[in-house]
Amino acid sequence: GVALLVALVAQNDPAAVLASITHLSWRLAVIVAFPAVLVAFFDTLGWRYAFLREAVPFRALAASRLAGEAFNMTTPTAAVGGEAVKAWLLRGHAPLDATLASVIVAKTTITLGQGLYFLLGVVVAWETELAGTPLMLVMSWCLVIEAVALGLFVLVQTRGMLGWTGRMLERIGVRPASVQGMFGRVDASLGEFYRTAPGRLGLSIWFHFVAWALGSVETWLLLRFLGSEVSLATATVIEAFSTGVKVATFLIPASLGALEGGFVATFTMLGLSPTTAISFSLVRRLREAAWVAIGLVAFVAMRPREPRAPAGEGAS
């Protein structure tokens, strides 16, 4: 990823890229803060409604989410290592099985929200010069594959996903009774959530969708700061297609390099400069780095509390 990023920068006038970023001046601080603060707020709301019941203070949710996303961005854990961090940080506010169930539901709803936003981008792109291009074909297939994968993911959650994992561990000789018990409770929580809380499920998807849609505002604003006047519709196409690249390259931490290649392809197809694409992406990387730092500070600052026992059990 680093090698690809370096190659793309080297091939697209590094001096011009540096000059455009330097020219941002105080505007860089604006991009770091806005609309990123609103995105964090709505994504935290999305996670809040992924709990079956209100159990964790919003402040703790926000801090643990920032910490978990920092781990997702910086570690090669296929964007799921940070989810374990989130559940672990909340162990003093709710039982571990409840927090694990919530992060699984939230991972599902944030991806569903991204899928809806991606669909919006594809629909808008049909009205632009991208219609009929190879890029449009690739993104349309990515949307279909993602929709099928999401459907299967929700299905296995309702059929005892973790219980199946526990049985697989037994077959290879691993029999941690306490973990298997927790897996059963998580499966029960997931099943209960999908059966009894459609309203909370819908709100979780909606808030995550709003967070994704705010990316259009950031793209529009940043390109304006870089001297490229684009419509909000064009900004939506750029941002939506970038989310498709992120999903397709989830194994690469922060989709490093791959995302830049996607930006260059999309910008070129839209008649924008590839140099602008690289400048745009590097500024986004600076914003990401700032929020990763904030997340790591949140991780260090969160004080561990005594784990909460599952409902019906005594304190451990």
Side-chain angles (χ1 to χ4, degrees):
V2 172
L4 179 56
L5 175 59
V6 170
L8 286 168
V9 173
Q11 292 173 8
N12 289 281
D13 198 349
V17 170
L18 179 61
S20 64
I21 295 175
T22 304
H23 179 70
L24 285 175
S25 184
W26 57 269
R27 299 176 185 86
L28 181 59
V30 174
I31 293 299
V32 169
F34 179 82
V37 171
L38 289 176
V39 171
F41 173 76
F42 281 108
D43 274 334
T44 304
L45 276 179
W47 185 18
R48 182 180 187 179
Y49 283 96
F51 282 86
L52 187 59
R53 301 171 186 85
E54 302 292 341
V56 182
F58 186 86
R59 182 177 178 181
L61 280 176
S64 59
R65 185 193 166 276
L66 287 173
E69 290 304 312
F71 278 83
N72 277 339
M73 290 289 293
T74 55
T75 58
T77 54
V80 295
E83 309 310 306
V85 171
K86 295 174 189 177
W88 179 75
L89 287 173
L90 294 182
R91 65 198 185 282
H93 295 279
L96 184 58
D97 53 290
T99 59
L100 279 174
S102 76
V103 297
I104 292 171
V105 171
K107 196 68 175 178
T108 305
T109 56
I110 197 172
T111 309
L112 286 169
Q114 180 272 331
L116 291 173
Y117 179 63
F118 191 21
L119 174 61
L120 173 64
V122 169
V123 170
V124 173
W126 278 111
E127 303 299 323
T128 71
E129 54 267 35
L130 285 179
T133 63
L135 180 63
M136 188 72 200
L137 180 63
V138 170
M139 290 302 176
S140 298
W141 274 109
C142 284
L143 179 61
V144 172
I145 293 170
E146 183 178 345
V148 173
L150 275 170
L152 290 174
F153 185 46
V154 174
L155 179 64
V156 297
Q157 287 180 55
T158 60
R159 299 297 177 88
M161 175 178 67
L162 295 184
W164 177 84
T165 303
R167 290 189 292 273
M168 289 296 295
L169 290 175
E170 282 188 346
R171 290 179 183 179
I172 61 174
V174 179
R175 297 181 175 84
S178 59
V179 172
Q180 289 179 12
M182 182 187 66
F183 282 175
R185 292 191 297 272
V186 173
D187 280 338
S189 296
L190 289 171
E192 184 180 2
F193 183 89
Y194 288 116
R195 286 193 312 271
T196 66
R200 297 185 71 86
L201 176 65
L203 284 171
S204 183
I205 295 170
W206 168 249
F207 287 129
H208 284 311
F209 172 78
V210 171
W212 285 110
L214 284 169
S216 298
V217 177
E218 181 185 66
T219 297
W220 175 84
L221 183 63
L222 177 51
L223 285 174
R224 187 179 181 88
F225 285 165
L226 289 172
S228 295
E229 299 283 345
V230 300
S231 66
L232 190 59
T234 299
T236 297
V237 171
I238 293 170
E239 183 64 19
F241 279 18
S242 76
T243 69
V245 174
K246 290 177 183 177
V247 171
T249 58
F250 67 95
L251 289 173
I252 304 172
S255 296
L256 192 64
L259 186 57
E260 282 69 26
F263 280 134
V264 169
T266 307
F267 275 56
T268 302
M269 289 286 185
L270 288 168
L272 299 170
S273 164
T275 300
T276 301
I278 296 299
S279 302
F280 172 85
S281 185
L282 290 179
V283 174
R284 294 279 291 265
R285 294 295 184 190
L286 291 173
R287 189 260 294 156
E288 288 175 356
W291 281 87
V292 164
I294 293 170
L296 294 177
V297 169
F299 176 76
V300 173
M302 288 190 76
R303 295 289 181 264
R305 299 173 57 173
E306 286 297 320
R308 286 275 301 274
E313 294 187 12
S316 59

